Amino acid sequence: MTDSPSFAPGTFTPAPGRGKLGRMLLAQARTETVLTLRNGEQILLTLLIPVALLVAMSLMDVIPVPDPRVGSATARILALAVISSAFTGQAIALGFDRRYGVLKRLAATALPRWLLVTGRVVAALAVVAVQVVVIAVIALLLGWQPPSVTGLLWAVALIVLGTLTFGALGVLLGGALRAEIVLALANIVWFALLLIGGVALGVAALPAWLATVVDALPSAALALALHDAVVDGTAPDLGHVAVLVVWGVVAGALAVKTTKLS
Amino acid sequence: MEVSGLVKRYGSTVAVNGLDLTLDTSTVLALLGPNGAGKTTTVEVCEGFRSADGGEVRVLGLDPRRDGDRLRPRIGVMPQGGGGYPGVRPDEMLRLVAACAANPLDPAWLLDVLGLSSSVRTPYKRLSGGQQQRLSLACALVGRPELVFLDEPTAGMDPQARRLVWELVSALRADGVSVLLTTHLMDEAEALADHVVIVDAGRVVAQGSPAELTEHHADDRQLRFRARPGLDLTLLRDALPEGLQVREASRGTYLVHGNIDPQVLSTVTSWCAQQGVLAEELTVARRSLEDVFLELTGRELRS
């Protein structure tokens, strides 16, 4: 073998070492946030559909929504936004990220595993923050009366909890199955939760036997808890919070076992 | 890096069956073998992606499974088939991987060297296989590692890109980086490696420097020529000395194996003259690693 003429000696002299944790976290979270916000299908799912439904539910009388109409619709649409990005969007992105080998790629760098997960969570929260701002602005334009500070703080806490719970469910789905199957299931579940999971249609509008089941779903729990915070400006019913926590913990525990890198 | 007695099973299939390897500092080791020989499994155990079912693996003095967080900052990995977010642009991906290292190389320079500057705005999923491979190589090198794992580094690359990878590997070695690469290309192993380990069905079947592996069979050469198909070889067999074999390897291609000396060459050409046959593309060559492999395993390498 001969020395390469194209590379000055010493170009590749080893100087290994791990980057700063904060920089690694920021780089990963920023990359994943930008990728989500640049993806047309994700924008449709996470922003356009929720905004369109918010406008429709606020202005038209197609779906029964209690008064105050805009406030009730806003609470439900915030829940839908969280489900769209943290569950459906996350599951699909993870399914294809695995297909394209990015988890393995990143797991082979100095990035510790816990940071890899943290980076994804931060990116998911960043995307939800963008959604919440857009939805809140449009709700205000539609005439939403913001609740008390207590209600707003609860709303923020619930949105974070909802993101973690649905994120865990999204990872559970997207981390184990083939990308195409993830794509199909994540959209079907999204549609089912939207229609009969207590999101677009309130639990009260459902037949009694179905309402009992739906009450235990994280979608209904998030929508109802957000209604308490966003419309009534009060602390949410703790039962709803408990439903969210249980779903999140169980899904997270299972996902740790079933998620595959590729 | 030291691997001894490595065993890895998938269900009832034994992928790696008692494999030993030693990689010295600033040398290049090539794991050579057909698909399914256990090359990738071996590399993934060394990288810490898989646990071993038996044997001992030490990489830079560390256990890749237990000490993964301490090992990974020191190694560079090019997984088989690359890896990137489907929608990520090459520079975004490389900058992310660079952010994970303490003293990274300049990503823009590396993209330029690897000929990716013109596709910095193309999402990963729309890059060609060769471009994805080059990005993956950049990701493996950007952190200035001491040890680099390259799994089939030139798969899907055009000849020009392959040439570049070969130059890069030579430069790495010259700068004191150790390289473990897998390949099923003989010329790649011969051109790059200080030490070649030939694996088949999870076992080492031969190892040594490329020269040692081929020298071993120094008096074993091969004469090859093309002529009209279906020649009767009886007279030629009778005329050749003992120990030489003649056959029509494929339609119109004739091979003579054994100790080919000037006399043998003369015998073959005289026979051709007698038959009224013009032998075309007549060559005498030393046995290549390819032939060694075929002899050891009874199989073609590119299976």
Side-chain angles (χ1 to χ4, degrees):
Chain A
M1 294 207 310
T2 52
D3 284 350
S4 161
S6 328
F7 302 102
T11 306
F12 298 105
T13 303
R18 191 174 77 178
K20 293 194 179 72
L21 289 175
R23 227 177 123 239
M24 286 195 268
L25 178 65
L26 190 67
Q28 187 204 344
R30 192 178 53 203
T31 305
E32 294 192 1
T33 307
V34 166
L35 287 174
T36 306
L37 296 178
R38 208 163 60 196
N39 183 319
E41 287 152 44
Q42 294 270 10
I43 291 293
L44 178 70
L45 179 74
T46 56
L47 279 174
L48 298 184
I49 293 177
V51 165
L53 279 172
L54 174 63
V55 173
M57 285 165 75
S58 303
L59 301 182
M60 291 178 264
D61 206 4
V62 274
I63 295 167
V65 181
D67 284 326
R69 207 172 169 82
V70 181
S72 301
T74 302
R76 291 185 192 178
I77 292 304
L78 285 172
L80 176 67
V82 167
I83 296 168
S84 298
S85 74
F87 173 74
T88 302
Q90 178 68 253
I92 294 170
L94 182 60
F96 283 95
D97 283 356
R98 285 168 51 231
R99 157 77 53 84
Y100 282 90
V102 73
L103 296 191
K104 208 163 184 177
R105 168 70 271 160
L106 292 178
T109 66
L111 206 65
R113 298 290 159 91
W114 63 266
L115 201 62
L116 193 61
V117 176
T118 311
R120 258 193 127 82
V121 172
V122 172
L125 288 170
V127 172
V128 169
V130 172
Q131 293 174 284
V132 167
V133 169
V134 171
I135 288 167
V137 167
I138 292 179
L140 286 170
L141 292 175
L142 290 166
W144 170 48
Q145 306 285 323
S148 60
V149 175
T150 318
L152 285 180
L153 288 176
W154 270 111
V156 170
L158 287 167
I159 286 166
V160 171
L161 174 63
T163 304
L164 294 176
T165 293
F166 279 99
L169 286 162
V171 171
L172 179 63
L173 177 60
L177 303 173
R178 275 201 11 241
E180 288 77 12
I181 298 173
V182 172
L183 183 64
L185 284 178
N187 281 315
I188 291 168
V189 171
W190 178 85
F191 201 58
L193 292 182
L194 172 68
L195 289 185
I196 56 166
V199 180
L201 280 176
V203 178
L206 298 169
W209 63 271
L210 186 58
T212 328
V213 179
V214 169
D215 252 340
L217 291 178
S219 48
L222 182 60
L224 291 170
L226 278 169
H227 187 95
D228 293 342
V230 170
V231 179
D232 305 335
T234 58
D237 181 330
L238 283 180
H240 302 320
V241 176
V243 167
L244 282 173
V245 170
V246 169
W247 276 93
V249 168
V250 172
L254 284 174
V256 167
K257 290 201 165 70
T258 57
T259 299
K260 290 178 280 201
L261 287 180
S262 58
Chain B
M1 198 187 94
E2 190 85 51
V3 173
S4 59
L6 176 64
V7 176
K8 178 70 192 176
R9 294 182 204 93
Y10 299 116
S12 58
T13 317
V14 182
V16 181
N17 193 359
L19 189 127
D20 302 319
L21 284 181
T22 305
L23 171 61
D24 296 322
T25 307
S26 55
T27 61
V28 178
L29 184 146
L31 269 181
L32 179 69
N35 295 337
K39 305 188 297 289
T40 297
T41 301
T42 303
V43 169
E44 290 191 344
V45 169
C46 295
E47 293 162 354
F49 276 126
R50 296 182 189 282
S51 57
D53 292 323
E56 183 76 20
V57 179
R58 306 296 287 178
V59 179
L60 302 171
L62 300 167
D63 176 335
R65 252 337 236 197
R66 223 185 40 227
D67 311 319
D69 280 352
R70 278 200 291 153
L71 176 64
R72 277 182 282 110
R74 298 174 63 188
I75 62 174
V77 173
M78 179 179 178
Q80 195 167 28
Y85 298 96
V88 80
R89 294 166 183 161
D91 64 323
E92 291 170 332
M93 191 66 211
L94 189 57
R95 279 172 209 286
L96 170 56
V97 176
C100 299
N103 314 292
L105 295 166
D106 176 10
W109 172 80
L110 202 49
L111 287 172
D112 190 42
V113 163
L114 285 161
L116 290 166
S117 302
S118 55
S119 16
V120 282
R121 292 190 65 79
T122 310
Y124 182 80
K125 65 179 170 191
R126 287 219 301 271
L127 295 173
S128 71
Q131 288 173 322
Q132 291 183 350
Q133 285 284 87
R134 279 181 271 152
L135 176 61
S136 184
L137 179 61
C139 290
L141 302 183
V142 74
R144 294 179 182 262
E146 310 168 44
L147 168 61
V148 176
F149 294 95
L150 307 176
D151 198 355
E152 302 272 355
T154 59
M157 284 189 184
D158 59 35
Q160 201 189 343
R162 270 185 70 194
R163 197 71 235 167
L164 175 70
V165 172
W166 289 16
E167 276 184 23
L168 270 167
V169 171
S170 303
L172 287 171
R173 177 178 172 275
D175 285 341
V177 181
S178 317
V179 180
L180 173 63
L181 64 91
T182 74
T183 180
H184 60 273
L185 300 174
M186 282 297 171
D187 53 346
E188 193 157 286
E190 268 185 291
L192 294 181
D194 299 292
H195 196 78
V196 178
V197 176
I198 303 182
V199 288
D200 185 46
R203 286 175 177 283
V204 175
V205 291
Q207 58 179 310
S209 68
E212 282 164 2
L213 281 170
T214 47
E215 226 167 57
H216 198 59
H217 307 264
D219 58 342
D220 219 9
R221 287 169 199 271
Q222 164 177 293
L223 186 156
R224 180 179 186 283
F225 64 95
R226 290 185 56 77
R228 167 177 100 222
L231 291 172
D232 181 0
L233 299 169
T234 325
L235 281 174
L236 180 57
R237 281 203 187 94
D238 293 345
L240 286 170
E242 283 285 308
L244 282 155
Q245 286 145 15
V246 191
R247 65 194 165 93
E248 187 176 351
S250 61
R251 211 175 130 75
T253 300
Y254 297 86
L255 290 180
V256 183
H257 274 295
N259 185 10
I260 312 279
D261 58 17
Q263 189 55 50
V264 169
L265 180 58
S266 160
T267 308
V268 171
T269 50
S270 320
W271 172 80
C272 287
Q274 276 167 23
Q275 302 283 317
V277 166
L278 180 66
E280 292 176 352
E281 299 170 28
L282 190 145
T283 52
V284 177
R286 208 183 59 183
R287 290 169 63 81
S288 66
L289 275 177
E290 190 113 36
D291 301 312
V292 174
F293 183 83
L294 188 64
E295 181 187 288
L296 288 167
T297 66
R299 292 201 287 128
E300 294 282 344
L301 196 61
R302 266 162 259 203
S303 57

